[in-house]
Amino acid sequence: MTPCSDCLEPVTMTTDSTLLNSEMEIEQQEDLYQQLLAQSLGNMQTANPDSKVIRPQPGICVKTTSEAGKKKIFVNICQSNLVPPPPEISKEKLLDLLQLEDPSGYRVPMSLGEPHTELDNNSQGCTAYDVVINQEFFQKCQKDSLFQQFVIMVSLEGLENKYNIELSREWKVLKNRKFLGSVSEQNIRTKSKPVIQELQPQENSTSEAKRYYLFTFVGSNVMYLRPEFTLFVEPPSGVPEYLIAEINLPGVLSSRALVLDIGEDRLVLTARPSLYFLDIFHPFLVDQETSVAQFNSSTQILTITLPVVSS
């Protein structure tokens, strides 16, 4: 027997007011959190106008190990259209480049994130790194295995140089995982690093500049040689106008092997592949934008001229 609709008694729905209040509080807290997050990100960008915050998209997850201790390492290679693309290069030219002893002439812009601790599929602790490359270039790597292998090699080398670690070149791209952990924001530079001009050898070239030597250092660490370098100011007396660094790099044949980063009171130089590393603070504030770097391939000396803002 089917009841008729007229015989059914209406049902009154009641809602606990405490549940409504709790839901409203959660929504308000979420809105407040988003506002604070947006404000903090805006403050970060205002405080550092030479960088911006990006949230990359997942790409591929590469599994490898550290040479020390053979611990599991995962590299999340992510993508973002806010990271500039590398110069166009054909597959043939890339093959020729990889045959060279120093393939660093072709550089891939990338953002290297901080290490974060995660759990693998076996609930074992591991370390993950996030690497962000240009989105269009990432898609190109997805279509061509040679480009994918190349960008993985460059990513591993970049992490090694930045974090002073050594990673195995035996890796595996995980098929069913694009990212290990959770995607987080990264700060990327909006201003390019100084271009190193390569000087052609000149005969009978002498320098008569007076030099005021601040210090000279020769040393080494576990993975890199710390090159001999000299800092001096011009003019040698009175108010300094320029801080000049001369760095001896025996064995470096081309400026393409050098990666230079200049801060207001700091200088960081890496000679690849894993040959020299120098990270020094100096007693002056300098103008980063007008600094000039020149590498003499004959003497294998890098000269960096830094206009002094204040001491």
Side-chain angles (χ1 to χ4, degrees), residues 21-33:
N21 292 336
S22 299
E23 291 178 357
M24 292 177 63
E25 289 178 0
I26 293 174
E27 291 179 358
Q28 291 173 355
Q29 291 176 1
E30 179 65 22
D31 291 341
L32 179 60
Y33 169 77

Side-chain angles (χ1 to χ4, degrees), residues 44-45 51-56 76 78 110-114 129-132 162 179 184-188:
M44 289 174 60
Q45 292 179 335
S51 66
K52 55 186 175 183
V53 178
I54 64 171
R55 176 177 283 275
N76 299 313
C78 311
M110 58 177 53
S111 175
L112 305 174
E114 298 290 331
Y129 296 86
D130 304 339
V131 177
V132 189
K162 183 173 182 179
F179 197 94
S184 58
E185 292 89 357
Q186 285 197 28
N187 276 313
I188 63 171

Side-chain angles (χ1 to χ4, degrees), residues 84-87 106-111 133-134 137 150-151 154 272:
Y106 183 72
R107 297 176 182 173
V108 179
M110 58 177 53
S111 175
I133 63 174
N134 176 262
F137 184 67
F150 174 73
V151 81
V154 173
R272 299 186 295 182

Side-chain angles (χ1 to χ4, degrees), residues 66-108:
S66 62
E67 290 293 348
K70 298 298 180 181
K71 296 181 179 180
K72 288 184 181 180
I73 302 293
F74 292 86
V75 180
N76 299 313
I77 299 182
C78 311
Q79 50 185 320
S80 172
N81 55 12
L82 296 179
V83 176
E88 284 291 336
I89 186 173
S90 64
K91 185 174 181 178
E92 292 72 23
K93 289 186 177 180
L94 182 60
L95 279 171
D96 294 338
L97 188 66
L98 294 176
Q99 301 302 317
L100 301 177
E101 293 184 1
D102 177 23
S104 60
Y106 183 72
R107 297 176 182 173
V108 179

Side-chain angles (χ1 to χ4, degrees), residues 22-244:
S22 299
E23 291 178 357
M24 292 177 63
E25 289 178 0
I26 293 174
E27 291 179 358
Q28 291 173 355
Q29 291 176 1
E30 179 65 22
D31 291 341
L32 179 60
Y33 169 77
Q34 294 297 335
Q35 292 175 10
L36 292 175
L37 178 61
Q39 182 180 354
S40 64
L41 293 179
N43 291 338
M44 289 174 60
Q45 292 179 335
T46 303
N48 187 5
D50 294 345
S51 66
K52 55 186 175 183
V53 178
I54 64 171
R55 176 177 283 275
Q57 299 178 14
I60 61 174
C61 184
V62 180
K63 178 183 177 182
T64 185
T65 58
S66 62
E67 290 293 348
K70 298 298 180 181
K71 296 181 179 180
K72 288 184 181 180
I73 302 293
F74 292 86
V75 180
N76 299 313
I77 299 182
C78 311
Q79 50 185 320
S80 172
N81 55 12
L82 296 179
V83 176
E88 284 291 336
I89 186 173
S90 64
K91 185 174 181 178
E92 292 72 23
K93 289 186 177 180
L94 182 60
L95 279 171
D96 294 338
L97 188 66
L98 294 176
Q99 301 302 317
L100 301 177
E101 293 184 1
D102 177 23
S104 60
Y106 183 72
R107 297 176 182 173
V108 179
M110 58 177 53
S111 175
L112 305 174
E114 298 290 331
H116 48 98
T117 303
E118 303 293 344
L119 295 177
D120 61 13
N121 289 336
N122 298 322
S123 299
Q124 299 295 319
C126 60
T127 302
Y129 296 86
D130 304 339
V131 177
V132 189
I133 63 174
N134 176 262
Q135 189 170 32
E136 184 177 347
F137 184 67
F138 176 83
Q139 298 301 327
K140 184 175 184 178
C141 294
Q142 288 293 89
K143 297 176 182 178
D144 194 306
S145 59
L146 177 65
F147 278 88
Q148 185 182 84
Q149 292 176 18
F150 174 73
V151 81
I152 292 174
M153 290 174 55
V154 173
S155 300
L156 296 179
E157 183 178 335
L159 292 172
E160 287 178 331
N161 290 337
K162 183 173 182 179
Y163 295 110
N164 196 23
I165 58 177
E166 189 173 358
L167 301 175
S168 172
R169 291 305 186 266
E170 295 182 3
W171 69 72
K172 177 182 179 182
V173 178
L174 304 184
K175 294 182 179 181
N176 300 321
R177 184 184 288 272
K178 295 183 177 180
F179 197 94
L180 182 67
S182 58
V183 181
S184 58
E185 292 89 357
Q186 285 197 28
N187 276 313
I188 63 171
R189 295 172 59 97
T190 56
K191 292 187 178 181
S192 59
K193 296 184 179 182
V195 176
I196 302 177
Q197 178 185 0
E198 187 154 348
L199 300 178
Q200 298 298 324
Q202 297 180 356
E203 296 181 359
N204 301 325
S205 60
T206 58
S207 174
E208 298 179 356
K210 295 181 180 180
R211 300 180 177 181
Y212 172 67
Y213 291 93
L214 296 177
F215 51 86
T216 303
F217 180 87
V218 182
S220 63
N221 57 23
V222 178
M223 289 186 62
Y224 307 96
L225 293 177
R226 192 179 190 190
E228 178 183 356
F229 66 93
T230 303
L231 297 181
F232 60 93
V233 294
E234 291 286 353
S237 61
V239 180
E241 297 181 5
Y242 296 95
L243 174 65
I244 301 176

Side-chain angles (χ1 to χ4, degrees), residues 194 232-234 239-245 262-265 282 284-293 304-311:
F232 60 93
V233 294
E234 291 286 353
V239 180
E241 297 181 5
Y242 296 95
L243 174 65
I244 301 176
I262 295 175
E264 289 184 344
D265 62 347
H282 48 74
F284 300 96
L285 294 180
V286 300
D287 187 346
Q288 304 159 263
E289 299 304 315
T290 57
S291 299
V292 177
I304 308 170
T305 303
L306 309 160
V308 175
V309 177
S310 64
S311 58

Side-chain angles (χ1 to χ4, degrees), residues 272-300:
R272 299 186 295 182
S274 302
L275 186 58
Y276 294 106
F277 179 75
L278 181 65
D279 185 354
I280 57 174
F281 288 88
H282 48 74
F284 300 96
L285 294 180
V286 300
D287 187 346
Q288 304 159 263
E289 299 304 315
T290 57
S291 299
V292 177
Q294 296 176 320
F295 179 70
N296 190 318
S297 58
S298 177
T299 61
Q300 297 177 339

